[in-house]
Amino acid sequence: MRLVLTNDPTCHRRLNAFAYVVTLVWCRYDGAFSRGRWSAVTFEAVIWYIAAVGFERMLVVPLGDPSVPTY
């Protein structure tokens, strides 16, 4: 999955892990379905993360990929 657009694979993995942790914490405290249960929090965070990746890919189509230089 490609959430954060970078060319460096190490930075790419780190930023995606950070984005998932932020999603996990958000779902823990303000999740719509989880209500504080860690199994449900993890599942809800995965769903939100996949939705964010899909939204990012949808935006790349009309706006272009910012990691590709334009000359």
Side-chain angles (χ1 to χ4, degrees), residues 3 20 23-24 26-27 30-33 41-55:
L3 176 61
Y20 180 72
T23 306
L24 190 68
W26 179 79
C27 287
D30 197 28
F33 306 109
V41 166
T42 305
F43 181 69
E44 186 177 357
V46 167
I47 299 299
W48 278 111
Y49 183 75
I50 290 171
V53 169
F55 186 71

Side-chain angles (χ1 to χ4, degrees), residues 8-62:
D8 181 21
T10 308
C11 184
H12 177 71
R13 273 187 245 111
R14 231 180 306 136
L15 290 172
N16 278 301
F18 177 73
Y20 180 72
V21 169
V22 168
T23 306
L24 190 68
V25 169
W26 179 79
C27 287
R28 169 68 174 101
Y29 291 104
D30 197 28
F33 306 109
S34 56
R35 306 279 190 234
R37 296 178 317 238
W38 279 108
S39 60
V41 166
T42 305
F43 181 69
E44 186 177 357
V46 167
I47 299 299
W48 278 111
Y49 183 75
I50 290 171
V53 169
F55 186 71
E56 180 267 332
R57 287 183 180 172
M58 183 184 71
L59 289 178
V60 165
V61 172

